[in-house]
Amino acid sequence: MSVIFLKGLAVLGFIAVSAMFSIWLERKISAWIQNRMGPMMTGFHGTLQPVADTIKLLLKEDIVPKGVDFLSWWLAPFFVTVPVVMAFLVIPFSSKWIALDLNVGVLYVCSVTSICVLGIFMAGWGSNNKYSLLGGMRSAAQIISYEVPLLLSVLLVVMQSGTMSMQGIVAAQEHGWFILKPHLTLAFLIYFISATAEVNRVPFDIPEAESELVAGYHTEYSGMKFAMFFVAEYTNMFIISAIATTLFLGGWQGPFLPGLVWFLLKSYGLVAFLMWMRWTLPRVRMDQMMSFAWKVLTPMALLNLLISGWFMVK
Amino acid sequence: MMIRLFTGFYSILKGFKVTFKNMLKKPVTLNYPIVKKPMTDRFRGMVDLVPEKCVICYQCIKICPTAALELEHKVLEDNKTKTITKFVFNGELCCFCGFCGEICPTDAIFLNKMYEVSYFAHKDLLTIDLMRKDKYKHVDGGESS
Amino acid sequence: MGELLTVNMGPQHPSTHGVLYLELKMDGEIVVDCKPHLGYLHRSIEKIAENRTYTQFIPFTDRLDYLASMNNNLGYCLAVEKLLNIAVPDRAQYLRVIIAELNRAVSHLVAIGTFAQDLGAYATPLFYAFRDREKIVDLFDSICGGRLTYNYMRIGGVSADIPARTEQIIKDFIAYERKQLIEYNELLTYNVIFLARSKNIGILSKEVARSYSVTGPMLRASGIKWDIRKEEPYSMYDKFDFDVPVGANGDSWDRFKVRLDEISQSLRIVEQAIGGIPEGNPVSKVNRVFRGTGEAYVRTENPRGELGFYLVAEGGFNPTRCKIRSPSFSNLGALSELVKGLNISDAVCVLGSMDIVMGEIDR
């Protein structure tokens, strides 16, 4: 019992540090891309900037706007943050560093992370704000439709390795990463695009589209509640990168360096790529995004599943 | 359909190339409060005055489009020399056009190089006494001559 | 059709370019009706002109279209010169053309950057545009001392001659900017998401454009070849060789592309002008006193369209009436026609492609 408790604490600590590091990294990468310097004043090259931001957000007044649907408005940040924490349960940081190696790990992660949409929709509905409502509506449609190609591409990995346990999938990649196999390369691309949409990152950031909807579903949140959305967003980004690492990039395996280092390197590499993408591409439109999911990604994932499944059985 | 997908993908990769190339370039911004950019020779900052040079011709008062300057003088007992009793600059009305400096026959009034023009109190900005030596000393980087 | 949703977009909104207030009636995400409300930045500049001398009004023209102060200065000074029959030295004419064209180029850069920002390309194209603009702003700073409100042109000349090395800086900028334009094309123009977002969105037909008296890049994007610099050459424009880029469909992408092409055309004009600046004294002192009678209307090609100054004088030191025909105001009229039936994202895209400046709309 106490071991699980300690593991939980370690996960919480990691989430806090990881989110702060991601925020710092995002600000620095955006600055480098835009020929700026980024945060420079707090700490060495602004490393303590996220800490300062957190303190600022903690000290802010918690404003409850007039006319909110209080229960759903108040609960929404928790619905967004808690599943993110829960997903860490099955992520294998190294051969030993895993909180709990469930035998349905992949299923668990996919089901837990899709609870987030509920929180986002609650935030959009409860805020009693038209921009938030539009953002919440968009988000619900987006996340649910991108769940399909995401699961279809993950299914292929499960078929390939024959197990749903995260450690089992990593072990199956001992003699070559899954991404090196052609059908799984396609699956990786589909997974990565859908996962980007799943966490509302550019070019699929339409729920919080700044130039249209001000801030989307979290327009009315301030202080620590806003911080929770923020932390959830960045931790989500880490989670999809970590899952991609585990499923396609050989997890913690790698020469010379210890497993943990390899895992973090690969995951943060993907996180950095997501950030690079954010500062490069424009945003797609709602209907374009939906038709991309249903007319391109889903058929491709299905076809991929069908063809490679046929070869596997044969 | 497939061709469109691939050309689209290629165009996105081109965008990535551009941002990556720029990522390796040196930043063009300055680490502002520590490093400051020198102002150019003709830069128009706050209105400044060398009281000794002023001949009280009232040209600057007349040309000012926003009436930001206020000048009063009195004639001394010998009925010849004039002396300034009040020369106040309203920093809020000023539009930094530089007409006063351009028209001044003796270059007494000019626009200095001070660009950090924030004040702690609103009324300090409204009544800047141009006759005082230390009028712009409160702001870091402000220079007065 | 269900119940309509009224969304008040602005005056404080990230993508309304200042303090424009759009009253959108929406059916879900589709815009059914759009009503722009103006007046949040009104400063009664036309009335101010009646109470200032001709020279004193020049700084106020800076504040009309604050992204293209030089062009506004030029338009006003030309109007006063026409009214009072004032001769301008050749060197001043050349300097005015060079400065105005450079200002046009950087103003279009801002338009491109903000348009990309409206399409959700977070800040990066905007920062690139501002990085390039900064070079010209620095140059203008060294020429006239201002970084946004330049106040450079004077009636009958300019305020100061260009400092040494300016020609070299301009030549360097032209070479640099031509390279950057390729980069913009790679980053934005032919990007598949950018194309999908802006192609065939907000098509402005020739007839509608004419009936709303739309001008500038917006009109040219609709396929009408109309440029005051060609049709009614003012200053020195008839001496230079340049093309007028025209769009094919009149959609948002065309408006963007026309601006991008106009930058290279402006650079061409500057390149020709910089070689042939005659010697002389372009400076016109600020203490010249003007008075006269009559009326004059001068229209010039601003980055955003046709800027007109109508001056009436009755012998005093100041004009009796000054009417400003601002391009953004007329262009904005076509907005509600364009956004009907579009998605809210597209409405933002159309508004961004129109490149309005509120300082000029409200005056």
Side-chain angles (χ1 to χ4, degrees):
Chain A
M1 189 60 211
S2 63
V3 177
I4 278 287
F5 188 67
L6 281 177
K7 279 177 178 170
L9 274 185
V11 162
L12 282 179
F14 178 78
I15 287 174
V17 173
S18 154
M20 281 186 183
F21 176 70
S22 304
I23 290 168
W24 177 80
L25 192 68
E26 169 113 314
R27 295 184 69 166
K28 274 301 184 189
I29 285 182
S30 73
W32 292 330
I33 283 181
Q34 294 160 4
N35 296 2
R36 292 185 288 123
M37 285 176 154
M40 291 294 279
M41 299 308 284
T42 36
F44 175 71
H45 277 252
T47 20
L48 294 177
Q49 189 67 44
V51 181
D53 285 349
T54 315
I55 293 170
K56 181 200 78 177
L57 284 171
L58 274 169
L59 294 176
K60 280 226 164 173
E61 188 190 353
D62 183 30
I63 301 165
V64 183
K66 208 173 165 187
V68 293
D69 182 354
F70 189 77
L71 192 65
S72 63
W73 182 82
W74 189 81
L75 271 178
F78 299 98
F79 267 78
V80 174
T81 323
V82 171
V84 174
V85 182
M86 281 161 73
F88 267 89
L89 189 66
V90 292
I91 289 180
F93 286 89
S94 75
S95 54
K96 294 189 191 67
W97 287 50
I98 178 166
L100 195 62
D101 189 11
L102 290 177
N103 55 0
V104 286
V106 176
L107 183 68
Y108 172 79
V109 166
C110 291
S111 48
V112 159
T113 46
S114 45
I115 299 176
C116 280
V117 65
L118 208 63
I120 291 176
F121 193 67
M122 279 161 73
W125 182 259
S127 290
N128 194 18
N129 177 323
K130 285 159 189 166
Y131 292 120
S132 302
L133 180 65
L134 284 174
M137 292 294 202
R138 284 174 172 200
S139 172
Q142 172 181 349
I143 292 180
I144 287 165
S145 55
Y146 272 87
E147 202 92 318
V148 179
L150 182 115
L151 284 178
L152 285 175
S153 56
V154 168
L155 192 60
L156 206 60
V157 177
V158 175
M159 277 162 65
Q160 183 77 29
S161 57
T163 171
M164 274 181 147
S165 140
M166 295 295 242
Q167 287 289 30
I169 290 171
V170 175
Q173 300 178 58
E174 206 174 349
H175 302 296
W177 299 355
F178 278 166
I179 195 173
L180 299 175
K181 295 187 168 67
H183 59 287
L184 286 168
T185 311
L186 188 60
F188 173 73
L189 279 178
I190 293 170
Y191 169 83
F192 203 68
I193 294 170
S194 338
T196 314
E198 195 94 325
V199 295
N200 306 331
R201 292 290 293 187
V202 169
F204 306 105
D205 68 327
I206 49 175
E208 45 198 294
E210 194 199 323
S211 55
E212 296 144 28
L213 300 184
V214 190
Y217 54 86
H218 56 64
T219 308
E220 295 289 357
Y221 287 89
S222 60
M224 213 44 213
K225 289 206 177 64
F226 170 73
M228 282 168 84
F229 278 108
F230 213 58
V231 165
E233 188 191 329
Y234 280 89
T235 316
N236 250 327
M237 215 158 80
F238 178 78
I239 283 177
I240 62 159
S241 307
I243 294 171
T245 309
T246 313
L247 299 187
F248 298 97
L249 298 177
W252 41 264
Q253 297 180 71
F256 312 123
L257 295 168
L260 181 66
V261 176
W262 269 114
F263 182 81
L264 290 181
L265 264 183
K266 289 172 189 171
S267 304
Y268 276 112
L270 285 177
V271 168
F273 182 76
L274 274 172
M275 290 168 178
W276 181 14
M277 192 151 88
R278 170 171 180 183
W279 297 102
T280 303
L281 297 178
R283 181 189 308 122
V284 297
R285 209 171 56 214
M286 185 66 192
D287 54 319
Q288 285 163 353
M289 190 206 62
M290 295 300 273
S291 67
F292 185 63
W294 291 110
K295 289 183 187 164
V296 180
L297 281 185
T298 310
M300 253 163 75
L302 265 176
L303 215 65
N304 193 13
L305 189 70
L306 194 76
I307 294 170
S308 41
W310 189 67
F311 273 107
M312 271 178 215
V313 173
K314 211 179 92 174
Chain B
M1 164 79 198
M2 275 325 246
I3 296 167
R4 260 186 66 199
L5 213 63
F6 275 110
T7 50
F9 202 65
Y10 180 65
S11 71
I12 286 174
L13 285 184
K14 258 184 166 173
F16 277 120
K17 191 195 85 187
V18 170
T19 41
F20 187 72
K21 251 186 5 200
N22 278 296
M23 214 193 281
L24 303 177
K25 280 185 191 158
K26 271 180 84 170
V28 292
T29 52
L30 301 171
N31 197 0
Y32 163 60
I34 298 166
V35 187
K36 280 181 182 174
K37 193 175 171 181
M39 289 294 110
T40 53
D41 291 343
R42 297 177 184 172
F43 180 76
R44 304 196 298 258
M46 290 297 256
V47 172
D48 212 335
L49 179 77
V50 186
E52 298 80 42
K53 284 192 191 168
C54 184
V55 291
I56 319 180
C57 64
Y58 280 86
Q59 293 239 44
C60 47
I61 314 293
K62 282 176 196 151
I63 195 74
C64 184
T66 55
L69 291 164
E70 200 183 336
L71 172 61
E72 277 171 19
H73 78 281
K74 68 172 182 213
V75 185
L76 286 184
E77 283 84 33
D78 55 0
N79 273 337
K80 271 179 198 156
T81 38
K82 292 187 276 185
T83 177
I84 303 169
T85 52
K86 188 182 174 194
F87 207 149
V88 175
F89 166 55
N90 186 336
E92 194 183 53
L93 288 181
C94 182
C95 68
F96 302 97
C97 60
F99 279 165
C100 46
E102 246 181 273
I103 204 163
C104 186
T106 56
D107 288 337
I109 196 161
F110 63 99
L111 271 70
N112 65 11
K113 303 277 169 275
M114 184 178 137
Y115 57 95
E116 290 156 316
V117 291
S118 51
Y119 273 72
F120 291 110
H122 183 222
K123 70 172 199 318
D124 293 347
L125 181 67
L126 297 183
T127 52
I128 300 169
D129 190 356
L130 288 175
M131 299 301 287
R132 278 174 56 180
K133 272 265 179 283
D134 58 342
K135 49 190 169 276
Y136 296 131
K137 281 281 154 55
H138 71 287
V139 195
D140 182 40
E143 49 192 285
S144 184
S145 49
Chain C
M1 195 189 279
E3 196 187 337
L4 290 184
L5 187 70
T6 312
V7 173
N8 297 319
M9 204 169 175
Q12 285 90 29
H13 188 277
S15 64
T16 49
H17 294 260
V19 284
L20 176 63
Y21 163 29
L22 295 179
E23 192 184 327
L24 297 175
K25 291 256 190 307
M26 302 208 301
D27 178 20
E29 287 224 6
I30 307 295
V31 178
V32 179
D33 192 19
C34 164
K35 213 195 252 171
H37 292 251
L38 311 173
Y40 290 90
L41 200 64
H42 182 71
R43 294 148 299 170
S44 68
I45 282 195
E46 288 178 6
K47 192 71 191 167
I48 287 175
E50 295 167 20
N51 299 306
R52 299 288 186 280
T53 63
Y54 294 105
T55 311
Q56 276 180 335
F57 187 60
I58 297 172
F60 290 95
T61 59
D62 286 338
R63 280 129 180 109
L64 288 171
D65 180 352
Y66 40 76
L67 291 174
S69 304
M70 290 291 192
N71 300 61
N72 297 330
N73 282 180
L74 178 61
Y76 175 70
C77 289
L78 286 172
V80 176
E81 281 152 15
K82 189 176 173 190
L83 175 73
L84 306 176
N85 287 322
I86 297 162
V88 184
D90 263 8
R91 188 177 171 85
Q93 297 270 30
Y94 266 84
L95 288 183
R96 281 175 174 191
V97 167
I98 291 168
I99 298 291
E101 286 308 309
L102 284 175
N103 205 155
R104 183 191 311 280
V106 293
S107 168
H108 281 334
L109 277 178
V110 176
I112 286 165
T114 47
F115 179 49
Q117 173 91 349
D118 285 345
L119 289 184
Y122 272 107
T124 306
L126 186 72
F127 269 96
Y128 290 171
F130 269 80
R131 176 193 64 193
D132 299 347
R133 177 176 181 263
E134 193 64 19
K135 289 181 189 294
I136 287 303
V137 171
D138 279 348
L139 176 76
F140 286 172
D141 187 4
S142 72
I143 292 177
C144 63
R147 295 180 61 83
L148 184 72
T149 49
Y150 304 117
N151 187 22
Y152 179 58
M153 314 277 176
R154 293 282 180 271
I155 296 157
V158 292
S159 74
D161 206 348
I162 47 171
R165 268 186 48 73
T166 305
E167 292 181 21
Q168 193 52 45
I169 293 171
I170 292 175
K171 275 175 192 160
D172 289 348
F173 174 76
I174 290 171
Y176 167 83
E177 192 53 36
R178 290 210 167 122
K179 248 188 285 164
Q180 292 299 315
L181 287 177
I182 301 169
E183 204 166 79
Y184 288 125
N185 277 336
E186 282 179 348
L187 182 64
L188 289 174
T189 316
Y190 299 109
N191 184 301
V192 66
I193 299 175
F194 189 81
L195 279 171
R197 277 302 302 279
S198 56
K199 262 268 179 219
N200 293 327
I201 301 299
I203 296 177
L204 179 69
S205 65
K206 283 183 188 177
E207 293 72 42
V208 177
R210 270 213 195 91
S211 62
Y212 277 93
S213 76
V214 166
T215 46
M218 239 181 119
L219 179 73
R220 291 194 280 279
S222 300
I224 302 174
K225 204 166 179 172
W226 177 261
D227 191 322
I228 307 288
R229 291 175 294 173
K230 281 275 187 205
E231 307 296 329
E232 233 173 62
Y234 55 94
S235 212
M236 282 276 158
Y237 279 106
D238 44 353
K239 289 198 176 166
F240 305 118
D241 172 38
F242 64 97
D243 299 331
V244 180
V246 206
N249 298 327
D251 53 18
S252 301
W253 189 82
D254 277 338
R255 292 195 271 276
F256 167 84
K257 190 75 173 71
V258 163
R259 289 204 176 88
L260 208 58
D261 292 343
E262 270 186 26
I263 293 177
S264 44
Q265 294 304 327
S266 289
L267 295 182
R268 254 181 83 187
I269 297 176
V270 173
E271 203 171 33
Q272 291 168 34
I274 199 92
I277 308 182
E279 292 296 316
N281 181 23
V283 178
S284 170
K285 278 271 187 265
V286 75
N287 49 6
R288 283 170 72 179
V289 176
F290 305 106
R291 59 193 303 178
T293 47
E295 55 179 61
Y297 180 73
V298 165
R299 49 183 182 173
T300 54
E301 184 70 27
N302 239 31
R304 275 154 200 85
E306 195 176 311
L307 176 77
F309 276 98
Y310 176 59
L311 291 172
V312 181
E314 286 171 359
F317 291 105
N318 34 359
T320 335
R321 176 82 175 99
C322 170
K323 164 85 180 93
I324 304 163
R325 189 255 186 228
S326 66
S328 294
F329 181 76
S330 310
N331 291 0
L332 185 67
L335 176 73
S336 39
E337 195 93 1
L338 288 181
V339 298
K340 255 169 217 164
L342 290 180
N343 212 313
I344 184 172
S345 323
D346 292 338
V348 169
C349 162
V350 169
L351 182 64
S353 74
M354 291 169 66
D355 183 31
I356 51 165
V357 168
M358 287 312 286
E360 164 174 80
I361 290 172
D362 286 344
R363 295 200 286 284

